[in-house]
Amino acid sequence: MSSCGNTAPRQGSPGQPDTSRQIGRLIAPPDSPKLGIRLRPLEKTMSLPEILERSPRLALYLADIQAVLALEAQARQRYLDETGDDVKAEFINGEVVMNPPARLEHVECEKLLLKLLDTFASRHRCGYVGHEKLTVSLTRNDYEPDIAFWSTGKSAGFKPDQVRFPAPDFIVEILSPATEARERGVKMDDYAAHGVAEYWLVDPARRVLEQYLLAGDRYELALKSGSGEAVAQAIPGFRVPIAALFDVEENLAALRRILA
């Protein structure tokens, strides 16, 4: 029997929109077959918001995005309610991402830099330094950066029982094989989108520091080195020998200079 009068049902659970298909089209790169169209040369230079503004499907995309975000909000609240202090995890793009135990070189590098930055911030009363289990909550995701700094203006209103914190001025991530892709990918993009002025990536295995500064809504590499000095732009006056992030004696010498 012919069924030409019927249409195929949408995929997904009953009562739920098929968000995966629409979102797949939405996030596809320009000129992708997933979009179902060939972009003209002018459109290839347009931003995603500009492309969407011109699309007759804008309202459909919006409805599907809102459905995705509503489900994510529920999952995010469960993550915040159920994740204990002894669990190192982050909520990224709708998923709970568990972080593996850190290597000793990671822990030592973090400890050395944290000591210098926290001492500097306390000595000059210029802001608050957080680390490890302190949660940075952005519009979609929750991160636990290795080290973060908030200026006095941002941190003055922090409360003792606070567990979620806004975007800081400065973030450091210590690289490890298990997390490097996220720290160079989604985290870098998200931190930049939320105005984190400066981002350091420190590689304890290669003993190299990469310093990124915010330019518009993207980071630009300002320094990549295993020697010399790193001068923070988001924390006026904070400068450290790169060797002090990896060597105890160099670290002690830098600490004495901060306290002098």
Side-chain angles (χ1 to χ4, degrees):
M1 179 180 295
S2 172
S3 58
C4 62
N6 297 327
T7 59
R10 295 185 73 182
Q11 297 179 355
S13 303
Q16 297 288 344
D18 180 16
T19 57
S20 60
R21 182 175 299 176
Q22 293 285 3
I23 298 301
R25 294 193 187 101
L26 179 62
I27 65 176
D31 212 18
S32 165
K34 288 186 178 181
L35 287 171
I37 58 174
R38 299 288 294 181
L39 297 181
R40 292 170 294 184
L42 175 62
E43 291 173 326
K44 292 181 181 180
T45 66
M46 294 166 58
S47 67
L48 180 58
E50 290 171 330
I51 294 173
L52 290 176
E53 185 178 1
R54 294 183 175 211
S55 173
R57 302 187 184 194
L58 177 59
L60 298 176
Y61 289 144
L62 177 61
D64 284 337
I65 291 171
Q66 289 173 332
V68 168
L69 292 179
L71 293 174
E72 277 195 15
Q74 297 173 22
R76 188 178 190 181
Q77 192 57 53
R78 286 195 301 272
Y79 157 80
L80 294 168
D81 291 341
E82 298 172 6
T83 303
D85 293 340
D86 58 336
V87 177
K88 187 164 176 59
E90 297 173 307
F91 188 85
I92 303 177
N93 294 349
E95 297 182 353
V96 177
V97 178
M98 305 297 294
N99 290 317
R103 297 181 177 189
L104 180 60
E105 63 184 5
H106 180 291
V107 174
E108 288 299 309
C109 179
E110 178 182 344
K111 184 169 63 175
L112 292 175
L113 179 52
L114 178 63
K115 185 190 303 181
L116 297 176
L117 180 55
D118 193 46
T119 301
F120 178 88
S122 299
R123 177 82 169 77
H124 296 279
R125 299 182 180 180
C126 60
Y128 179 78
V129 179
H131 66 104
E132 285 290 334
K133 283 296 295 174
L134 191 146
T135 299
V136 171
S137 285
L138 304 183
T139 49
R140 186 181 183 187
N141 298 326
D142 295 293
Y143 302 108
E144 294 182 353
D146 290 314
I147 300 173
F149 170 87
W150 291 260
S151 64
T152 302
K154 289 186 178 181
S155 61
F158 289 178
K159 298 177 174 57
D161 61 348
Q162 188 168 337
V163 295
R164 300 176 72 187
F165 296 84
D169 300 279
F170 173 88
I171 285 179
V172 179
E173 296 283 8
I174 312 298
L175 296 177
S176 66
T179 62
E180 182 172 359
R182 291 197 299 274
E183 285 150 359
R184 293 189 181 280
V186 63
K187 285 189 173 186
M188 178 177 279
D189 185 40
D190 216 358
Y191 293 160
H194 288 83
V196 178
E198 187 166 353
Y199 184 40
W200 286 13
L201 291 175
V202 183
D203 187 337
R206 296 181 176 85
R207 297 195 166 201
V208 169
L209 179 146
E210 297 174 31
Q211 178 189 34
Y212 293 89
L213 301 178
L214 192 62
D217 63 351
R218 294 287 184 271
Y219 285 120
E220 291 184 355
L221 181 64
L223 173 71
K224 181 176 181 180
S225 180
S227 61
E229 193 174 54
V231 181
Q233 301 302 305
I235 311 172
F238 183 64
R239 52 198 308 144
V240 294
I242 295 173
L245 309 185
F246 312 109
D247 182 88
V248 173
E249 293 303 320
E250 291 280 355
N251 188 270
L252 288 173
L255 186 62
R256 283 193 290 269
R257 287 193 290 272
I258 291 173
L259 291 170

